Amino acid sequence: MSEPVKKSSSIVAIFSEFLTRYPSHFGLLFLLLVVEGAAAAMSVLAIVPMADFLLDPSLGKPSRITQVVLGGFAAFGWSPNFWLLGLLFVALNMLKGTLGVAIRYAILRIKYAVGRGLIGDALHTFFKARLEFFIGSEQGRLLNTLNRELDTIGDTLGHLASLLAQMIQLGIYLAVPIWLNAPMTLTALGLAVLLGVPFMLLHRISYRLGKRNTETANVLMGVLSEVLGAAHLILGFGRQNRDRERYLMAFDRHVYVTLRSQTLATAVPSFFKPLAMLAVVVAMGFALQQQARISELAAVMWSLLAAMPILATLLQGNISVSNFLPSYEQLMSLREKAVEAEEIEGQHIFTRLERGVELKDLYFTYKGRVQTLADLNIYIRKGQMTALVGESGSGKSTVTDLVLGLQIPERGQVLIDGVSLGDWKQNSFRERIGYVPQDPLLFHSSIRDNLLWSFEQAKEDDLWGALRLANAEGFVKELPQGIDTLVGDRGVRLSGGERQRIALARALLRKPELLILDEATSSLDSESELLIQQSMEQVAQDTTILVVAHRLSTIAKADQVYVMQQGRVVEEGPFNVLSTKPGSILNAMIAAQQPLQA
């Protein structure tokens, strides 16, 4: 698709969004533009009686406009003088300025309303997509789109609204001088348009700069996100200088493109305005040769000098729109990608687990990788603890993603009480699940807020009950602000064991039908592991649990264990049977871990 086609189709889409979704905003803007246009026209015409008075204080031969003003003064019994005429001119311009502020307010309302709508729609679309959308998208591209590019789109939407306002203003500013002196006005306008043609051809350069600007901003945001997220690792390796330089290099590449892009946008009106003034001067010279009335020429020149900067702004708008289109196209591209990865939404509402969850004849492969799971059959029976064990990369965590519906199998089925997971409303099922990942992410807020994030309707007793069940009540009460203590970004103010127990309490607070623990103790010290293990044993009395375990001591109470190797189940059975069975894989794994845990 060629650039001009892209440009026109994108602008049509934007204005369609603008006009159809926000008619009240547009209606207010249009009303203000009409009133402001009338005030602008009167402010221009108010120059004529002042000029007539200065040329002939007796007003012996007034122009047609001056005659109308004098008639108005006579109705109020006022005698015309310089101060009264000057006050009229100033008052009309003050009214015009006040209406200009109101128009700017209306344009800003449009900018933020449309921007809010775009980001709301984008997030709605993104969060309807499966996990693969977030995994497959570069984080820098996503962050930059939701942060900088959406702001750019909002600015440009405001700019487009400004252009619409300026086009109406331009029409009014030109209508008055055309009425007063059409030859002079049309001559000036024709020359200005002719001189502006070269500037209109710059939109291709602006589009390419805008595209490059968006690309370098994606990289910059990606590097920043990565550097901040890896601060612990960077400090630990003493690589601060290297990563600072990596960010600054990305910053310099972005600034190089941004400087060229913004300079181009500024250069257009700066170079065009003197040329436009030249067009006005030339046209006025021709008008003087035709012996036009001086007072009317003053009004025409005043109006044209006000109109030419608007023409310059319209040319700048052409450049700005071309520059912003890559931002809009990137947003639309991400939305289309999210739609392609949209979750399959069923109609059944999940309320409780009756029998269990079954993975039947299941195959799964990540894009661009060898097969992850093959011919997998696992049954998570209600009221029991089911454990998945095996070496790293055997597919255990992928199984949890499939149970949560975050990934879709190539073949086979995930059945909830015998009904395919795709036939359930996904969130009705997930809202009845408690999930504790290996890396327990906590939000930068208080412990209370982190718990309530899981279940907003929880009462105070529910919060402390969940903390007690997760063996977290004791340390929370000892914190400076207790349950209202801030945990820091990702929970950095707590130890690993404390974070894990808060995450477990968060999962337990909603009294889940199914509790999923994904390597919940793999990185914990022995004391923290023991506390989590005790919590699991207590919860297992009346909750269905799926646990992915690296440390086999944590699954000693498991009713069913599935041993996985290279994406397949190679052994299954109760823990107390497999762990004591000579020659079993689980028995060998336990023996291999015992020296390490001794």
Side-chain angles (χ1 to χ4, degrees), residues 318-345:
N318 178 57
I319 300 299
S320 298
V321 169
S322 299
N323 191 266
F324 114 96
L325 281 179
S327 300
Y328 185 78
E329 289 166 4
Q330 178 163 290
L331 173 63
M332 293 300 104
S333 172
L334 282 171
R335 287 182 63 174
E336 288 170 6
K337 187 177 178 182
V339 170
E340 290 173 3
E342 187 173 340
E343 287 187 325
I344 301 170
E345 192 68 273

Side-chain angles (χ1 to χ4, degrees), residues 69 105 131 175 189 216 228 248 250 263 326 334 402 425 430 445 464 476 483 499 512 542 562:
V69 173
Y105 170 77
L131 183 64
L189 185 61
T216 55
L228 293 178
L248 290 176
T263 301
L334 282 171
L402 287 162
K425 283 192 174 295
R430 290 174 188 157
S445 56
W464 287 106
V476 169
I483 197 171
R499 286 198 301 272
D542 51 13
Y562 291 90

Side-chain angles (χ1 to χ4, degrees), residues 213-225:
N213 196 36
T214 297
E215 291 169 353
T216 55
N218 290 341
V219 174
L220 180 65
M221 190 62 71
V223 173
L224 178 62
S225 174

Side-chain angles (χ1 to χ4, degrees), residues 37 63 73 90 153 182 196 206 220 226 229 256 299 320 450 485 535 542 581:
S63 67
F73 284 2
V90 172
I153 292 169
S206 179
L220 180 65
E226 191 173 66
Y256 174 74
S320 298
N450 270 279
T485 300
S535 298
D542 51 13
K581 181 179 179 181

Side-chain angles (χ1 to χ4, degrees), residues 135-192:
I135 295 174
S137 301
E138 296 177 13
Q139 290 301 304
R141 190 165 181 247
L142 270 174
L143 289 172
N144 182 51
T145 299
L146 293 172
N147 184 17
R148 176 187 173 277
E149 302 306 322
L150 270 173
D151 190 54
T152 300
I153 292 169
D155 286 341
T156 307
L157 288 172
H159 193 56
L160 285 172
S162 296
L163 291 180
L164 177 64
Q166 288 161 349
M167 288 170 67
I168 295 174
Q169 289 172 335
L170 182 64
I172 292 169
Y173 275 126
L174 292 178
V176 173
I178 286 175
W179 177 57
L180 291 173
N181 193 317
M184 174 183 169
T185 304
L186 294 175
T187 300
L189 185 61
L191 284 172

Side-chain angles (χ1 to χ4, degrees), residues 232-249:
H232 193 270
L233 182 67
I234 291 168
L235 293 173
F237 271 73
R239 306 299 286 167
Q240 298 97 317
N241 290 338
R242 179 187 179 279
D243 284 278
R244 184 188 68 228
E245 289 303 317
R246 184 161 69 99
Y247 174 76
L248 290 176
M249 285 175 62

